[in-house]
């Protein structure tokens, strides 16, 4: 049996006049020789990747999954002005500094965009990259989900059970059972002022409002590493023409669809974990960076 250490490392950084902290979840097998860096979605946390990490560590992969600011155990600024693209890149930079050996990357939704930006700035020095249901250019596909989050930012529940039911239903994960269900609930909700809410800073809602256009299409067309665009069967991105355009022009890019999943796939089921871990294992074995 592989000996694994699970820990949370707190990293401090000065942002404006605030000494902020980033919580970095680390799953580390003895004698780790490779690293997987994970970045969660808008309303998630690094612990969303715990089931995937528990699979990856069995093959000697160190898994690093930070909490973005305003989520999980990282600093809640309670002021939207501090959630800039620059500050939101800091957790990814901390994670990269902690990597051991050849490194691969996976991100969910907005976390995938942040991580892709960080990796591309380092000239794509990655064994492989998984984009889990993330837009690669401005579109209106997720307006409905944004409306849900904007309302949710200011929603409080009288009981923990009500908050948990809302969480499982809106994230389309009512099928979760046992420890994974319990962990998902504990990691995603919090007590506040005698009531319960989702575990993210409500001021993040300001970041969901219309912003300037962006496009990562050209960057992915030139990506020299393996890239997987992963979507759910019912995801708004499944038929995104930008995905098709990139995959057609770059032989390093492939696509996969998960049956029955919505936006974004949770990465909490055995099917999803095996697909992603198998893809990443091939990336590690085939990459020039693994030499």
């Amino acid at each position: 049996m592989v000996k694994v250490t699970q820990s949370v490392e707190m990293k401090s950084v000065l942002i404006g006049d605030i000494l902020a902290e980033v919580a970095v979840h680390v799953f580390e097998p003895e004698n780790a020789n490779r690293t997987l860096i994970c970045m969660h979605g808008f309303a998630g946390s690094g612990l969303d990747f715990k089931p995937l990490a528990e699979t990856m560590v069995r093959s000697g992969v160190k898994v690093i999954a930070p909490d973005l600011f305003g989520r999980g155990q990282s600093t809640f600024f309670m002021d939207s002005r501090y959630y800039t693209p620059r500050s939101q890149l800091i957790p990814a930079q901390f994670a990269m500094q902690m990597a051991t050996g050849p490194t691969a990357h996976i991100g969910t939704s907005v976390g995938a965009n942040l991580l892709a930006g960080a990796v591309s700035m380092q000239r794509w020095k990655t064994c492989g990259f998984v984009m889990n249901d993330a837009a690669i250019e401005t579109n209106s596909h997720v307006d409905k989900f944004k409306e849900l989050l904007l309302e949710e930012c200011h929603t409080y529940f009288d009981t923990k059970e009500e908050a948990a039911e809302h969480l499982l239903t809106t994230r389309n994960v009512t099928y979760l059972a046992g420890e994974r269900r319990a962990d998902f609930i504990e990691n995603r909700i919090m007590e506040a002022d005698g009531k319960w809410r989702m575990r993210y800073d409500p001021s993040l809602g300001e970041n969901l409002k219309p912003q300037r256009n962006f496009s990562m299409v050209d960057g992915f067309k030139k990506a020299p590493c393996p890239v997987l665009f992963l979507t759910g069967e019912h995801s708004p991105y499944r038929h995104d023409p930008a995905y098709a355009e990139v995959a057609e022009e770059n032989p390093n890019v492939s696509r996969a669809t998960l049956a029955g999943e919505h936006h974004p796939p949770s990465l909490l089921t055995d099917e999803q974990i095996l697909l992603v871990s198998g893809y990443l294992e091939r990336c590690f074995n085939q990459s020039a960076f693994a030499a």
Side-chain angles (χ1 to χ4, degrees):
M1 181 178 292
V2 177
K3 183 180 179 181
V4 177
T5 301
Q6 180 180 346
S7 62
V8 181
E9 297 193 26
M10 304 303 296
K11 302 289 186 179
S12 299
V13 60
L14 190 64
I15 298 180
D17 57 353
I18 295 177
L19 184 62
E21 288 193 319
V22 175
V24 185
H25 303 276
V26 181
F27 302 81
E28 188 165 15
E30 198 171 25
N31 300 319
N33 55 16
R34 298 173 293 176
T35 299
L36 173 64
I37 293 176
C38 311
M39 191 67 73
H40 63 80
F42 178 88
S45 82
L47 287 173
D48 291 348
F49 296 97
K50 180 182 176 183
L52 175 63
E54 290 172 341
T55 295
M56 298 300 297
V57 293
R58 294 174 192 160
S59 55
V61 178
K62 177 181 180 180
V63 179
I64 303 173
D67 293 340
L68 289 169
F69 287 121
R71 290 84 157 182
Q73 298 177 48
S74 290
T75 295
F76 282 41
F77 294 118
M78 306 304 288
D79 185 335
S80 63
R81 292 174 299 175
Y82 287 96
Y83 295 109
T84 65
R86 183 184 295 273
S87 70
Q88 292 291 60
L89 277 174
I90 291 173
Q93 292 166 344
F94 277 137
M96 289 178 176
Q97 291 168 7
M98 298 167 65
T100 301
T103 304
H105 301 77
I106 180 170
T108 294
S109 192
V110 66
N113 296 123
L114 287 169
L115 196 54
V119 172
S120 63
M121 284 190 290
Q122 291 192 341
R123 299 186 179 181
W124 295 99
K125 290 184 179 179
T126 178
C127 295
F129 198 107
V130 179
M131 293 283 287
N132 183 30
D133 232 336
I136 59 173
E137 67 178 5
T138 306
N139 60 62
S140 60
H141 291 317
V142 292
D143 284 349
K144 185 176 180 180
F145 195 60
K146 281 187 176 182
E147 290 172 8
L148 162 71
L149 290 170
L150 277 168
E151 179 180 354
E152 186 181 82
C153 282
H154 305 287
T155 300
Y156 288 78
F157 301 88
D158 291 328
T159 67
K160 182 178 181 180
E161 290 72 25
E162 290 175 338
E165 181 180 1
H166 168 85
L167 173 69
L168 296 170
T169 302
T170 55
R171 274 55 176 184
N172 301 296
V173 290
T174 53
Y175 55 76
L176 289 177
E179 183 179 342
R180 288 183 185 174
R181 183 187 184 96
D183 282 350
F184 189 72
I185 292 171
E186 289 301 318
N187 298 333
R188 290 288 198 110
I189 65 175
M190 62 184 290
E191 191 173 7
D193 301 322
K195 294 193 174 185
W196 293 84
R197 57 163 289 110
M198 301 300 105
R199 191 183 290 275
Y200 61 87
D201 185 342
S203 71
L204 281 163
E206 292 296 314
N207 294 44
L208 293 168
K209 294 178 180 179
Q211 300 178 29
R212 72 178 71 179
N213 292 342
F214 80 97
S215 177
M216 305 179 77
V217 172
D218 287 343
F220 277 109
K221 284 182 179 179
K222 299 173 184 176
C225 61
V227 175
L228 174 65
F229 290 150
L230 181 64
T231 57
E233 180 183 6
H234 306 296
S235 164
Y237 296 136
R238 182 183 177 189
H239 301 294
D240 190 333
Y243 274 15
E245 180 183 345
V246 170
E248 183 176 346
E249 292 197 25
N250 188 342
N252 294 318
V253 175
S254 55
R255 303 173 65 183
T257 301
L258 290 163
E261 285 296 311
H262 294 260
H263 168 78
S266 67
L267 305 182
L268 296 176
T269 70
D270 291 340
E271 176 192 11
Q272 295 173 39
I273 291 167
L274 289 173
L275 186 154
V276 171
S277 61
Y279 176 81
L280 290 170
E281 192 65 37
R282 291 193 299 274
C283 289
F284 278 125
N285 292 338
Q286 297 171 8
S287 174
F289 297 112

